[in-house]
Amino acid sequence: MISDIDYMHMALRLARAAASRGEVPVGAILVRGDRVIGEGANCPIHTHDPTAHAEIVALRAAAAQLGDYRLNEATLYVTLEPCIMCASALVHARVRRVVFGAWDPKAGGAGSIVDIFAIPELNHRVDVFGGVLAEECGTLLTEFFRARRS
């Protein structure tokens, strides 16, 4: 059986690919059962699309593959805490579980700034687990931004 750590390593590979294209290094894998149903890497710069975050790209790929935007029983693995936009999209897609790496104190929507997943009025609950391979995920981001600033 593939573990959360194994899937996070897959997401990290996508994040590194995004960095090689000059995008903020965030990668996401969407899994249902033991099958990857969608994947994504940040690409707003190259697509000229402010919504092209890794999570959104993975959601779109999975929904297209399955022919349904409802992604019940799916788990999203993402290298960075989802922002408010992505967290909201995950609720609307009815993703069951989100596992993320590094916390995002500047834009995090899973507890760093606000916890979208804890809003009781929303019609769906998502289980959220942060900090999986947090150091590796965080280091990738730190090194990316350090190189851009120097």
Side-chain angles (χ1 to χ4, degrees), residues 123-144:
N123 68 339
H124 178 71
R125 298 287 154 254
V126 179
D127 293 327
V128 181
F129 303 92
V132 175
L133 296 180
E135 187 173 333
E136 190 172 346
C137 294
T139 298
L140 180 61
L141 287 156
T142 300
E143 290 174 356
F144 174 82

Side-chain angles (χ1 to χ4, degrees), residues 2-139:
I2 299 177
S3 71
D4 288 350
I5 290 172
D6 295 325
Y7 284 121
M8 190 61 74
H9 279 296
M10 296 167 107
L12 275 162
R13 281 195 291 278
L14 292 168
R16 288 185 192 98
S20 73
R21 294 187 302 272
E23 300 278 1
V24 174
V26 179
I29 299 283
L30 197 59
V31 177
R32 184 185 279 168
D34 61 355
R35 185 173 142 230
V36 174
I37 58 172
E39 61 181 43
N42 266 8
C43 59
I45 295 168
H46 287 87
T47 61
H48 310 290
D49 179 356
T51 69
H53 291 194
E55 301 94 324
I56 301 297
V57 174
L59 287 171
R60 288 175 179 159
Q65 179 179 320
L66 299 174
D68 191 353
Y69 77 92
R70 290 182 185 95
L71 303 172
N72 300 321
E73 301 308 313
T75 298
L76 180 86
Y77 296 89
V78 61
T79 57
L80 181 64
E81 176 185 2
C83 71
I84 294 165
M85 173 187 69
C86 292
S88 297
L90 291 162
V91 170
H92 287 290
R94 293 163 177 80
V95 169
R96 180 179 61 86
R97 185 169 173 252
V98 172
V99 177
F100 68 87
W103 292 88
D104 187 350
K106 294 183 179 181
S112 288
I113 292 181
V114 67
D115 190 350
I116 295 297
F117 302 110
I119 297 173
E121 292 81 11
L122 293 176
N123 68 339
H124 178 71
R125 298 287 154 254
V126 179
D127 293 327
V128 181
F129 303 92
V132 175
L133 296 180
E135 187 173 333
E136 190 172 346
C137 294
T139 298

